[in-house]
Amino acid sequence: MTNVLDLHGIRHHDVDRLVENFILLKEKPVRIITGNSDRMIQLVKDVLDRHYMNYESLKPGQITILK
């Protein structure tokens, strides 16, 4: 999968905009690397839920958006 957004080193206040642009502009499936930060994971899930995205988190620190 070539559509990957790695959030390592990204500040929490920039996550909403980056994730929203990424999920709306890229063809699915895409993967977001969140790392193990509970706060980062929740910020990403908030954006995904707001846009009714179908996602799974099978590997720690990664979220895959299916549709």
Side-chain angles (χ1 to χ4, degrees):
M1 182 182 333
T2 60
N3 293 331
V4 176
L5 175 63
D6 188 344
L7 296 175
H8 285 101
I10 302 300
R11 295 178 186 264
H12 288 158
H13 68 268
D14 293 327
V15 170
D16 191 278
R17 178 184 50 81
L18 286 172
V19 170
E20 186 171 66
N21 286 339
F22 182 74
I23 63 172
L24 295 176
L25 296 174
K26 295 291 184 177
E27 187 175 332
K28 310 315 175 268
V30 295
R31 180 177 299 144
I32 299 176
I33 309 297
T34 60
N36 294 321
S37 164
D38 290 336
R39 178 75 176 129
M40 185 69 78
I41 293 167
Q42 190 57 55
L43 288 169
V44 171
K45 286 183 176 181
D46 288 347
V47 175
L48 299 178
D49 291 341
R50 186 171 68 229
H51 289 282
Y52 306 102
M53 293 288 166
N54 183 11
Y55 62 89
E56 63 187 15
S57 185
L58 300 177
K59 294 182 181 179
Q62 295 183 18
I63 298 174
T64 303
I65 296 89
L66 306 170
K67 309 183 199 180

